[in-house]
Amino acid sequence: MNSNVIIRRYDRTFDLLDNDANGVLEEKDFTGLVEKIARATGVQQGSAKAEALTKEWGNCWHTLREFADANGDGQISRGEFQQAMAAAYGDHAKLKERLVPGLEASFAAIDADDDGVATVAQCEVYLTPWGLSRRRREQPEGSSTRTATAASAARSS
């Protein structure tokens, strides 16, 4: 993959995380996303799922800030984000250790019925606060809806 494609992916991720679209990442972007995700997925305020989601997304923010806030101003610019992402992807173990708990908390929010399976519909609900939508395609009658399990997601990381 050439560097322009990689930079565009970093930019897309930055834009998704920049919840208030002010051009920098701040802690309030992460708390705002958590609130939107919880509302969209039906996670009740004060529940164990809400607490885990809040804690782990907070940890993601603090990890990102630790590695990306080069000038120490409490904000992460697009350039700082790009540099941190380029450096972080060189250490897969560090990424896994620091970010997997956040992904697990997000999966728990997606899995509204706690059956260990995330349906396409549940994933679409989760993606709505991110401003992402899926083009709906008509499925032939009798076709199955793809699902993801926590176990298969963990195995692929």
Side-chain angles (χ1 to χ4, degrees), residues 10 52 95 97 106 139 145:
Y10 295 158
L95 275 178
E97 172 192 325
S106 294
Q139 289 185 313
T145 302

Side-chain angles (χ1 to χ4, degrees), residues 37-154:
I37 291 166
R39 261 193 318 273
T41 58
V43 171
Q44 298 297 311
Q45 189 174 8
S47 69
K49 279 187 180 184
E51 305 248 340
L53 199 59
T54 300
K55 175 184 178 232
E56 296 307 338
W57 274 89
N59 288 342
C60 287
W61 161 250
H62 292 294
T63 297
L64 186 58
R65 184 172 166 208
E66 176 185 338
F67 289 101
D69 186 12
N71 64 5
D73 66 354
Q75 300 176 333
I76 299 168
S77 70
R78 186 176 299 274
E80 287 174 323
F81 183 79
Q82 290 170 346
Q83 288 178 332
M85 290 299 98
Y89 282 117
D91 190 345
H92 182 72
K94 185 182 295 183
L95 275 178
K96 187 173 179 179
E97 172 192 325
R98 302 292 288 271
L99 301 180
V100 165
L103 296 173
E104 290 170 345
S106 294
F107 181 85
I110 294 168
D111 183 19
D113 56 9
D114 297 319
D115 66 355
V117 176
T119 66
V120 170
Q122 289 170 325
C123 290
E124 287 175 341
V125 167
Y126 173 80
L127 293 174
T128 301
W130 294 86
L132 300 174
S133 62
R134 178 179 169 259
R135 291 184 189 160
R136 296 206 173 257
R137 294 182 216 125
E138 297 215 83
Q139 289 185 313
E141 192 169 317
S143 67
S144 64
T145 302
R146 288 190 273 169
T147 60
T149 65
S152 67

